[in-house]
């Protein structure tokens, strides 16, 4: 019997190893799997490479992971905002590496990994520092930059509901990066508000099929 549910958040992240590349879903706080991040902080993995849209907000979630000194590098599109003080302090002190990627390129690089695409050409970033060291090509009179896929060891994502096979549905904009991150990681761990019985999720509204999800864990009440 296939049952991908885990009894606790701690068990779900227990094998995240030092130096792992970890994708974390969310657009700001929307869709961020904060409970899984807290469990990862407790677990103690270090020297992580984090892939996320931004670099944390305030003092919780991803920001707390940064503050704990567990992140060696972050790949994101929007590292600085009014309350990204933990990232700002670490970056200015030379304690974290930043790979800045325009948001559309970030999403497509993640999607490309999940789709098995070896690379793609994008016009975004051409003629800027972001294109330094990358192959460029003229296509139909326009210049493009070759971008590489982003693969991950783990993806931590948040969904509204899931079943024991790992099928997921999301809540509105909390969906954001979750579906493509689930496809791009070797091990996808989904934090869900509710675990439902098989058959309760309408197949027509399932966004992430269970084939892309290895672990499902319910948020603590």
């Amino acid at each position: 019997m296939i049952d991908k549910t885990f009894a606790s958040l701690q068990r779900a992240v227990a094998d995240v190893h030092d130096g792992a590349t970890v994708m974390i879903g969310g657009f700001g706080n929307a869709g961020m799997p904060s409970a899984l991040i807290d469990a990862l902080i407790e677990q103690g993995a270090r020297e992580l490479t984090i892939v996320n849209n931004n670099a944390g907000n305030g003092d919780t979630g991803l920001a707390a992971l940064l503050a704990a000194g567990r992140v060696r590098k972050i790949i994101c599109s929007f590292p600085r905002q009014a309350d990204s003080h933990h990232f700002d302090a670490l970056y200015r002190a030379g304690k974290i590496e930043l790979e800045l990627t325009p948001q559309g390129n970030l999403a497509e690089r993640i999607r490309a990994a999940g789709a098995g695409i070896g690379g793609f050409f994008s016009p975004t970033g051409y003629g800027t520092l972001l294109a330094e060291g990358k192959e460029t090509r003229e296509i139909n009179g326009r210049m493009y930059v070759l971008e590489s896929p982003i693969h991950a060891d783990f993806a931590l994502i948040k969904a509204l509901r899931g079943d024991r096979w790992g099928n997921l549905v999301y809540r509105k904009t909390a969906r954001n990066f979750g579906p493509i991150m689930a496809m791009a990681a070797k091990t996808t761990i989904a934090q869900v508000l509710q675990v439902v019985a098989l058959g309760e999720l309408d197949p027509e509204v399932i966004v992430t099929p269970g084939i892309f999800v290895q672990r499902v864990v319910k948020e603590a009440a």
Side-chain angles (χ1 to χ4, degrees), residues 25-39:
F27 191 96
N29 290 324
M32 181 178 290
S34 296
L36 281 173
I37 296 172
D38 289 344

Side-chain angles (χ1 to χ4, degrees), residues 13-129:
V13 300
D15 60 346
V16 177
H17 54 85
D18 290 353
T21 297
V22 182
M23 292 180 174
I24 298 180
F27 191 96
N29 290 324
M32 181 178 290
S34 296
L36 281 173
I37 296 172
D38 289 344
L40 182 59
I41 294 171
E42 181 182 340
Q43 186 256 28
R46 296 182 172 275
E47 295 293 305
L48 301 173
T49 295
I50 299 297
V51 183
N52 186 259
N53 180 63
N54 65 322
N57 305 80
D59 299 297
T60 60
L62 177 54
L65 185 65
L66 294 175
R70 306 293 175 75
V71 180
R72 178 187 65 83
K73 176 181 178 179
I74 187 162
I75 303 172
C76 70
S77 66
F78 192 56
R80 294 192 63 199
Q81 53 197 42
D83 59 352
S84 58
H85 47 272
H86 289 300
F87 167 80
D88 194 61
L90 289 167
Y91 187 73
R92 290 178 184 275
K95 295 181 178 180
I96 192 170
E97 180 182 348
L98 170 65
E99 182 178 332
L100 187 65
T101 303
Q103 190 173 83
N105 285 0
L106 177 67
E108 186 64 6
R109 290 178 68 190
I110 296 169
R111 192 198 69 83
I117 296 172
F120 62 93
F121 283 95
S122 169
T124 306
Y126 176 76
T128 73
L129 292 174

